[in-house]
Amino acid sequence: MQTVLIVDDERMIREAVSFYLKKQGCRVFAAENGKEALTMFEQEAITFVILDLMLPDVSGEEICMSIRKKSKVPIIMLTAKTQEDDVLNGLEIGADDYVTKPFSLKELYARMTVILRRTTGDIKPLVSKHLWNDKDLQVDFEHREVQKKGESLSLTPSEWKILTALIRCPKKVYTREELIELIFGLDFDGYDRVIDTHIKNLRKKVEDDPKKPFYIKTVRGVGYKFGGGEL
């Protein structure tokens, strides 16, 4: 059972989404503002967050960043903003996906299902090894842990998918379309640049110098490949 936190200042949206998700077997908590949402997140074992960007007190972006400091829980942002930069900013600070208002409840639940499928599953390994380690960066596939120079890194589900895919297939150059399919599924309808945003965030975490990446290489005109050693 998923425990979902819905954060939206519009009562009709909270009630409609709550009713629909409860019918799907979810346990639901609903907050009408940011402070209430953060309190609920601290007190309850939330496994999924549906978060409106435009809130009366604390912005959705601030709530997302606050949650990301302590949790990898999947986050879908609800937004009335349609400009690309607004969407990319939400993804850059840690959201897993976004839904533009107005939206259908079936679409929202479908996107939830896709995210849960990719975050609870894993990339099918090409080899049987469970650990990749070059002393500087260590990836434990079995326990889903990443360390940089001995310190644990907090990766989002999308960043984990990208990094482990690149490491497992170090000779392969992934196109943006392949990475989109890997992370979001075949039915994703969005911007190719979302991959660049995830890559940018991932480089900040695993690279000594994100502007001169060693592990995550750009192949101009094609996509990305892994620059470290093989498993």
Side-chain angles (χ1 to χ4, degrees):
M1 177 186 293
Q2 296 299 320
T3 303
V4 184
L5 173 60
I6 303 165
V7 189
D8 200 299
D9 61 336
E10 296 184 51
R11 181 177 58 83
M12 291 183 65
I13 290 180
R14 292 197 308 273
E15 292 180 352
V17 176
S18 296
F19 180 76
Y20 189 87
L21 293 183
K22 287 177 181 177
K23 287 180 61 179
Q24 310 308 316
C26 298
R27 185 177 179 224
V28 178
F29 292 89
E32 63 180 348
N33 58 57
K35 292 181 180 179
E36 186 180 0
L38 292 174
T39 298
M40 287 183 178
F41 190 83
E42 291 291 339
Q43 295 177 346
E44 305 295 339
I46 303 298
T47 61
F48 204 104
V49 177
I50 298 173
L51 175 62
D52 185 22
L53 278 179
M54 304 294 290
L55 294 170
D57 53 352
V58 184
S59 72
E61 288 95 336
E62 290 178 274
I63 295 173
C64 182
M65 289 187 289
S66 178
I67 290 175
R68 274 292 168 261
K69 289 178 181 178
K70 63 190 75 173
S71 174
K72 300 178 183 178
V73 60
I75 300 173
I76 287 181
M77 283 191 162
L78 304 179
T79 175
K81 301 176 180 179
T82 56
Q83 292 186 348
E84 181 179 357
D85 288 343
D86 293 322
V87 171
L88 293 176
N89 180 59
L91 295 171
E92 186 169 346
I93 61 178
D96 294 277
D97 200 356
Y98 65 94
V99 174
T100 303
K101 294 180 178 180
F103 58 88
S104 76
L105 296 172
K106 286 184 178 180
E107 177 193 2
L108 177 63
Y109 186 68
R111 287 179 179 269
M112 280 184 60
T113 302
V114 170
I115 292 173
L116 289 169
R117 186 165 61 239
R118 71 173 186 257
T119 55
T120 55
D122 200 357
I123 300 166
K124 293 181 180 179
L126 299 182
V127 294
S128 59
K129 293 184 179 179
H130 297 296
L131 185 69
W132 182 89
N133 187 358
D134 73 347
K135 296 183 180 179
D136 190 15
L137 184 68
Q138 178 175 304
V139 180
D140 186 333
F141 295 94
E142 184 176 5
H143 299 99
R144 299 176 70 90
E145 295 177 350
V146 181
Q147 291 188 347
K148 173 72 174 179
K149 296 181 179 178
E151 295 188 4
S152 296
L153 301 180
S154 179
L155 303 187
T156 68
S158 296
E159 291 165 359
W160 169 261
K161 288 286 188 178
I162 292 173
L163 180 62
T164 52
L166 295 175
I167 291 176
R168 290 187 189 277
C169 306
K171 296 180 181 180
K172 175 177 173 58
V173 178
Y174 282 88
T175 65
R176 286 175 177 79
E177 290 75 17
E178 287 175 319
L179 289 174
I180 284 175
E181 180 180 338
L182 174 70
I183 297 171
F184 298 108
L186 290 171
D187 57 350
F188 177 74
D189 182 18
Y191 306 109
D192 287 352
R193 279 181 55 196
V194 299
I195 292 299
D196 298 331
T197 300
H198 288 306
I199 292 290
K200 177 183 176 182
N201 293 337
L202 186 56
R203 280 174 170 163
K204 289 178 181 178
K205 297 177 182 180
V206 304
E207 303 285 1
D208 289 334
D209 183 354
K211 295 182 179 179
K212 298 178 181 178
F214 172 76
Y215 295 109
I216 305 173
K217 299 284 190 179
T218 299
V219 180
R220 294 191 179 280
V222 184
Y224 299 97
K225 64 176 290 188
F226 189 64
E230 298 187 22
L231 274 167

